[in-house]
Amino acid sequence: MTSEIERELRRRAEAPVALGDILESAQNAQDVHGAKWAPRVARVWHAVNGVTERAHTVGIFVERPRRARALPVLVVYVDSKSCEVDFMANREVYLARLAQAGLSFAEVRFRQSKRPPTVVRRTVEEKTPQEELPELTPDEEREAAALLEKVPAALKSSVSRALRVSLQAEKLESS
């Protein structure tokens, strides 16, 4: 029996378009700024990230590498300065997620969009109170540890935290 996370990881590994194919199609279209392949990268960005990232992402732009054979830079436009700061703190996690989905970038940069967000935000009164997340069982802890074995040491702490919260949220939803 495979967990929902394992199924999702498999789905992500099989679904995305290879970065080389995207770059090749952009070169064939002679698109200097990457505007034609940014929507494809945006689909992968939205697929590998969570609700918060999707809700606050305003746009995606891929900067072409300045040197031959260098990796491009992904620029993600967000709706607020606080999101820009928060997302920058986790940029290594985003790079790892994108790499696992087949898209390698030299770096991810976050910038606040100059356009005001069009999404209507709920007020504090309208927000639902957050439920307490259930504790993981020893079996679930072992499952999480097994999933983290292949994660690079530099990312292990933040990925571990995200994985455990994800497992707890999944457990809360299924109960």
Side-chain angles (χ1 to χ4, degrees), residues 107-149:
E107 66 178 297
V108 178
R109 294 182 191 147
F110 295 93
R111 295 187 183 142
Q112 183 179 357
S113 175
K114 291 184 171 124
R115 295 183 191 161
T118 57
V119 177
V120 177
R121 304 248 187 253
R122 295 190 297 174
T123 63
V124 173
E125 296 82 32
E126 295 173 328
K127 291 185 179 179
T128 57
Q130 283 191 337
E131 294 184 48
E132 192 72 27
L133 292 176
E135 293 296 318
L136 295 178
T137 65
D139 287 341
E140 291 166 332
E141 286 288 347
R142 283 191 289 280
E143 179 185 347
L147 290 171
L148 291 168
E149 287 177 356

Side-chain angles (χ1 to χ4, degrees), residues 18-20 22-24 26 31-45 59-66 70-77 95 98 103-109 111:
L19 182 59
I22 294 171
L23 291 174
E24 184 178 336
D31 182 18
V32 176
H33 300 292
K36 294 211 187 263
W37 43 283
R40 294 181 202 157
V41 175
R43 280 194 299 274
V44 173
W45 169 262
I60 301 274
F61 182 77
V62 181
E63 287 184 5
R64 284 183 169 243
R66 297 182 194 272
L71 292 173
V73 173
L74 178 63
V75 180
V76 179
Y77 290 92
L95 280 174
L98 291 165
L103 297 177
S104 296
F105 292 97
E107 66 178 297
V108 178
R109 294 182 191 147
R111 295 187 183 142

Side-chain angles (χ1 to χ4, degrees), residues 1 7 9 12 14-15 20 34 41 62-63 75 87 92 113-114 146-148 163 167 170:
M1 181 174 160
R7 287 191 303 274
L9 289 173
R12 289 178 184 176
E14 295 167 358
V41 175
V62 181
E63 287 184 5
V75 180
F87 291 3
E92 295 86 14
S113 175
K114 291 184 171 124
L147 290 171
L148 291 168
L163 175 62
L167 288 171
E170 182 181 306

Side-chain angles (χ1 to χ4, degrees), residues 81 83 100 157:
K81 187 67 175 173
C83 284
Q100 189 151 22
S157 173

